[in-house]
Amino acid sequence: MKKLSGLIPPAITIFDENGLVDYEAMKKHADYMIERGVDGISYLGTSGEFSVMTQEQKKELIRIMIPYIRERVQAVAGIGDTCLANTLELAKEAEAAGATGVLAVVPYFSIYGEENVEAYYGRLADQVKLPLLIYNFPALTGFDVNPEQMERLTKQHPNIAGVKDTIPEISHLKAMLKIKESKPEFSVFCAYEVQALELVEAGVDGFINATANFAPECTAGLLKAGKEGNRPALEACYEKMQQAAQVYQYGTPLLLAVKEAVYQKVLGKRGTEILPGLPLKEEYRHKIKEILKNF
């Protein structure tokens, strides 16, 4: 099983005026990120707005975008859903498309107990052939996969390959890193730019951070500097990541601000937002434009 690692941005999904996925824009965006040093791309995560897309839209995106990137970088497909049957259906699409791995968020809306969540991931892991990343985002799902639970799951299911641990407490991620002592191939991914410096030094395997949609060279540079032990370069890249993350304050959810940054910096044209998403106010677009002058 191939180890997932490095910078794997959670790609936005770009829609046209008819509410359809704009694949010309999606491919241009993918090329942009790859040219600037990403190690992979993850589709249909939170930033990819999987929760507002139909099952058919998600299957189509997997069929088109995974083959487009898979020969160049790691290709990860988000398969999360509140319905296990839907999740398994997306997993089959990812397998057929040649994905490197899949990312499955904790079942959300109804908040289940540990036993329920372990049974869910156990069934998923038993039926999915690809490396499986567990997406832990308790602020949105209401459930936290704690490190002890994660370790139990990895022992029972060898293809649980890692975790995207989207959580403010750095101690939580460091506890996840300890799983690598017994399972070196296990990968821990960070999501928050503010945690980057400390976690690179702690040995995190990679980043799935939203600013890499429009400023991937910052996170890519940080990972490179960390491997080389180049402290000045590491700190410089970290500071640039913090500057990029300033766009977050202008979108609720923050993915809307990230999309605006991509429209301005990468595409040179606007996409269309899908309700409940709305276009940003003009003043916020201008604020983002000012931030992007530094990149």
Side-chain angles (χ1 to χ4, degrees):
M1 185 170 66
K2 183 177 180 180
K3 181 179 174 68
L4 298 167
S5 63
L7 173 57
I8 308 178
I12 61 166
T13 301
I14 304 159
F15 300 98
D16 65 19
E17 64 275 8
N18 298 312
L20 303 175
V21 178
D22 184 342
Y23 286 108
E24 180 181 353
M26 292 287 290
K27 290 176 180 179
K28 182 176 180 179
H29 183 218
D31 293 341
Y32 175 90
M33 292 187 287
I34 292 170
E35 288 166 4
R36 284 158 180 79
V38 304
D39 300 291
I41 301 175
S42 175
Y43 290 102
L44 298 173
T46 303
S47 296
E49 298 179 272
F50 76 93
S51 60
V52 302
M53 297 172 67
T54 68
Q55 185 77 345
E56 287 307 311
Q57 281 181 313
K58 289 184 277 191
K59 289 163 66 176
E60 179 186 69
L61 190 148
I62 289 170
R63 286 195 294 265
I64 293 174
M65 293 310 300
I66 294 299
Y68 186 72
I69 67 169
R70 69 185 180 195
E71 299 300 328
R72 295 181 285 170
V73 293
Q74 298 166 83
V76 178
I79 60 172
D81 197 287
T82 53
C83 171
L84 179 59
N86 286 345
T87 301
L88 289 169
E89 191 174 47
L90 292 175
K92 291 187 186 306
E93 288 288 347
E95 290 170 4
T100 314
V102 291
L103 176 72
V105 71
V106 171
Y108 51 92
F109 188 74
S110 295
I111 302 173
Y112 294 97
E114 282 194 14
E115 183 179 359
N116 305 78
V117 173
E118 289 190 33
Y120 174 88
Y121 277 121
R123 178 71 63 82
L124 188 57
D126 287 345
Q127 296 194 34
V128 173
K129 299 174 183 177
L130 295 170
L132 170 63
L133 289 176
I134 291 178
Y135 185 8
N136 187 40
F137 199 170
L140 294 186
T141 65
F143 182 90
D144 175 26
V145 180
N146 62 62
E148 293 77 18
Q149 184 182 17
M150 183 66 70
E151 188 164 23
R152 286 199 302 273
L153 282 165
T154 61
K155 287 179 177 178
Q156 295 166 9
H157 308 284
N159 66 318
I160 293 181
V163 60
K164 178 187 178 184
D165 207 19
T166 307
I167 194 163
E169 293 81 16
I170 286 182
S171 59
H172 197 281
L173 285 111
K174 287 184 174 179
M176 290 289 191
L177 285 168
K178 291 183 179 178
I179 296 173
K180 292 155 59 70
E181 294 174 4
S182 57
K183 187 176 180 178
E185 66 274 22
F186 185 77
S187 298
V188 179
F189 288 90
C190 172
Y192 294 135
E193 287 79 5
V194 71
Q195 299 172 332
L197 188 62
E198 187 170 347
L199 286 171
V200 162
E201 293 176 330
V204 75
D205 293 281
F207 290 86
I208 304 178
N209 58 310
T211 57
N213 274 278
F214 62 90
E217 64 278 4
C218 300
T219 308
L222 177 125
L223 284 167
K224 181 175 183 290
K227 289 178 181 177
E228 295 172 350
N230 186 337
R231 181 73 188 191
L234 186 66
E235 292 179 353
C237 290
Y238 175 74
E239 289 304 318
K240 293 296 287 185
M241 290 175 70
Q242 306 320 301
Q243 292 176 34
Q246 290 175 14
V247 305
Y248 290 160
Q249 64 189 299
Y250 299 113
T252 304
L254 62 82
L255 68 90
L256 294 174
V258 173
K259 294 184 80 172
E260 177 62 29
V262 172
Y263 297 158
Q264 292 189 28
K265 189 169 190 291
V266 182
L267 301 180
K269 70 172 187 176
R270 310 210 60 71
T272 301
E273 306 314 333
I274 303 298
L275 287 171
L278 291 170
L280 296 190
K281 297 177 181 178
E282 185 59 37
E283 63 180 297
Y284 292 164
R285 293 182 193 174
H286 180 72
K287 294 283 189 182
I288 290 172
K289 183 177 181 180
E290 290 299 308
I291 291 170
L292 292 177
K293 289 180 179 178
N294 296 316
F295 297 91

